[in-house]
Amino acid sequence: MAERDWKVPAKRLEAGFEDKKPAFDAGEALTEASRCLYCYDAPCIPACPTAIDIPTFIRKIGTDNLRGSARTILESNLLGRSCSQVCPVEVLCEGACVYTGWGRKPIEIGRLQRFAMESAQSPDLLPRQPATGHKIALVGAGPASLACAGTLVQMGHEAVVFERDALPGGLNMTGVAPYKFRAESTLAEVEFIRSLGVEIRTGVEIGRDFTAEQLLEDYDAVFLGVGLGSDSLRGIPAIEGTGVIGAVQWIRGMKLDPATSVDGVGHAIVVGGGNTALDVVQELATLGVPSVHMVYRRGLADMSGYAHEFKNARNVGVRAVEHATPAKLEWRDGRLVGVSLESTQSPASFESRDMPCDLLVVATGQGRLRDLVEQFPQVECDQSGRVVAEPESLVTGNPRVFTGGDCYNGGKEVVNAAAEGQRAARAIDELLRQG
Amino acid sequence: MPDLSIDFAGIRSPNPFWLASAPPTNSGDQIMRAFDAGWGGAVWKTLGTPIINVSSRLGSVDLGDRRMMGLNNIELITDRPLDVNLREIAEVKKKYPHHAVIVSLMFDTPEEWADILKRCEDTGCDGVELNFGCPHGMCERGMGSAVGQEPKVLTELVKWVMDSTTLPVIAKLTPNVSEIVDPALAAQAGGAHAVSLINTIKSVVGVDLDRLVPVPRVNDASSHGGYCGPAVKPIALRMVAELFRQPDFSLPISGIGGISSWRDAAEFIALGAGSVQVCTAVMHHGYRIVEDMIEGLDEYLVSKNMSSVQELVGAANAGFREWGELDLNYHVVAKIDEAKCIGCNLCHVACWDGAHQCIHMPGTAAIEGHVAPMAATAKKRAFEAASLIASGRTDVEPYRVPWVDETECVGCNLCWLVCPVSGCIEMVEQRRAPETDTWNDRVREGRDFVPGGLKDI
Ligand SMILES: Cc1cc2nc3c(=O)[nH]c(=O)nc-3n(C[C@H](O)[C@H](O)[C@H](O)COP(=O)(O)OP(=O)(O)OC[C@H]3O[C@@H](n4cnc5c(N)ncnc54)[C@H](O)[C@@H]3O)c2cc1C
Ligand SMILES: Cc1cc2nc3c(=O)[nH]c(=O)nc-3n(C[C@H](O)[C@H](O)[C@H](O)COP(=O)(O)O)c2cc1C
Ligand code: SF4
Ligand code: SF4
Ligand code: SF4
């Protein structure tokens, strides 16, 4: 139950990546900020799930009011720092910028937000209401819980976050691509949330170290931000040796485990067509794996991953095989050496295709934590394993249990988790103040 | 949290940010929205005997991509009926008792002034501002800047006003004079409680070269107008500073001209303004800009350990002196940071053609006996890079960092101003001597001479 000794190992694959969108220096930030039109009723704002007042924070960079700029961001989004680097801005704020519609380069909102956050993020920017004496337990220290807890302490409540991992941060710590946001930055953001007054206990698993009943007894309300389960390896032929790994597990190793390496990997295949698959192929190619393929069971046009990320993957040399699935794995001395693909179409679009492969990463989705969630009385999951809650207040079937983030929305982005966590905090506040 | 509220010549306001008399203060509805956005006060669009405005009215100076660095207008005073304005003033004041509502006025005869002042008092407004500044349209009628440019007339007019009202009276001055002190002293002599400045600067903003008519065009012609916006800030700042340090002038000053951010406002206040007024920036971006102004000023005061705006008023005054009082032994030289330089050579051409020929291209040698620490390095690097390129290397860039001949650098700042990379050129202090020495000292002690002689040194 260590609280303080959060350290990320120094030697790990993640450390070798460069930022795809490097930090602005002050001069660059000013130049870019001056380009922003400071639109009225700006379309970039509603495109942000946390509705950050983008024109205002950018204008404040221009007037050299950096603390004010950071305040404007944090007032809407306590995780403004990680969001500035991990958000798919191409389909969110920057995609909606008036410049985009005009056929010009949009304002680099994400990088400006990063500049404001790295220059001026500080706990004294935000007001804190008088203590209420209410205590809330939050399960999981991912973006959803952190945003929720940070908002709750500002409202005067006590918030205690329980995380089963040794390190806090959820998928920001273990999952997001290292060329976007690295573990040290996640720790810095967690420290910021802690400096607001949130207590974070790592190495504590709810359901094992504490039961659902215990939490409900000791706390006035509970927030479930447990995210999704481990990689699903459904549909992958029998595994008889090393060389096959789930995508989330592989990324976690790359980000945090010094033992993870790509030495000797010549041919990697990633199964899946979502953003996790697109991240993994780019990571592998950037790490120097000579041949990286992604294999998708449907057509490229049906891929759920973002088109801009697919383009990025193409640019680093990734090749894609569509309408295909691994039908047979080939082993030698307990190691994977090849994969035989077969067509998913009928009639088959190609005869079976044998490909050399020494690393097969499976990115076909994550499981659900239904068992854990349903230990809380009256809390239910829907058919696809998502926690059922009222969309505005995020209250579950149990009036004292709230939720948000991947376990509720089925797996979206950090910014959605943050928005939902903050929304739940407001509903919890309302509930507790009614007493 | 610092106290942003002010008491300006008896006019109280929750913060020093006021809207200047102009289109943003045309109507009660606008001003109430402005107060909701955070503005502390508003000077109502000038009331006077009815006029008709032209169309079009505005022209601007754009700087590259950036619009409205300067704005020019040929609009006159309000064209809304007097009764409507007065009724709305009373309404606003009633709804916003703690905000400053000031009525701008421009009338002709003593009778007119007496009548309007009475009616203003009935609205409950906090004060009046006398528009002695409008440089177009109204001066031809013997009002506006026609008054502001004639100190005697100005004093006379202020006296009429003072005789007819107990309200705080601000005289708004025109910058279209050769000495701003004269009209300011004239306003003081008439008994005004405060002055505000600047009104707009007489100007022609441009010419439509296709039609060969100046802009803004009204049918087949234009007229000179009044210039304002970011471009006029330096002129306004100087005038505010000049008045603040004038020993025989003691009235509060409301600073106006080119203010768009908290920083602009803080500069005006530091040079002596007790309140600031804004027009163009609001015409460009709306009332919403005030949130950043309030927050930025607040953060700035905190960073300076100041507990109120009052502490900042005139704080930079001691640092604003006559040229003859400046330290001639202070000297700076330009230093280029090799690691930051992008090799655009703008500093070289600026210094070479526009200053003192002391920034040289790499590869050239320093003059024997001159101080130029980077010259040899630059020459060596330029040579090395050139030879590598000549030998076929494609991964090497030519070395393009210029170097400074410190012996020749007069420390004018030009290169530092043109350099596009922030922090790349630094002006490093290299005093000529430890003690200070001013031109005034030198003349006083007979070490320097004034051709023809100067009385007051
Ligand atoms: C590979 C990958 C890459 C991604 N890249 C991006 C990206 O670039 N940009 C983006 O915006 N989003 C990205 N996402 C999505 C984003 O990471 C998630 O939407 C977000 O992290 C969800 O936050 P959360 O708090 O709901 O869950 P999580 O981040 O999953 O956090 C849940 C936490 O709960 C803990 N937990 C679970 N059960 C228990 C228990 N019983 N007791 C205690 N603790 C428990 C877990 O250990 C975990 O730390 C990515 C996701 C993946 C998988
Ligand atoms: C369109 C326009 C109309 C104006 N009308 C008036 C007026 O009626 N009375 C007045 O005192 N000043 C008037 N002004 C001048 C402004 O109040 C202000 O003194 C000047 O614009 C400088 O401030 P700025 O640089 O913030 O715009 C006007 C300015 C503009 C642009
Ligand atoms: S839409 Fe683009 S230009 Fe307009 S305010 Fe937003 S970022 Fe700035
Ligand atoms: S700004 Fe408004 S009043 Fe002025 S010309 Fe445009 S539409 Fe007409
Ligand atoms: S202007 Fe600045 S960047 Fe350009 S050459 Fe000179 S020092 Fe280098």
Side-chain angles (χ1 to χ4, degrees), chain A residues 38 60 64-65 67 71, chain B residues 262-263 288 292 295 299:
Chain A
Y38 190 42
K60 289 177 180 178
D64 195 19
N65 176 11
R67 275 174 55 83
R71 182 181 285 124
Chain B
W262 69 268
R263 204 170 244 288
R288 58 194 169 138
D292 170 51
E295 184 183 46
E299 293 280 358

Side-chain angles (χ1 to χ4, degrees), chain B residues 116-127:
Chain B
I116 189 66
L117 286 162
K118 171 83 195 46
R119 295 176 72 180
C120 283
E121 283 180 0
D122 292 344
T123 64
C125 72
D126 298 281

Side-chain angles (χ1 to χ4, degrees), chain A residues 17 218 236 259 299-300 304:
Chain A
F17 284 86
D218 295 348
I236 299 298
L300 293 182
S304 64

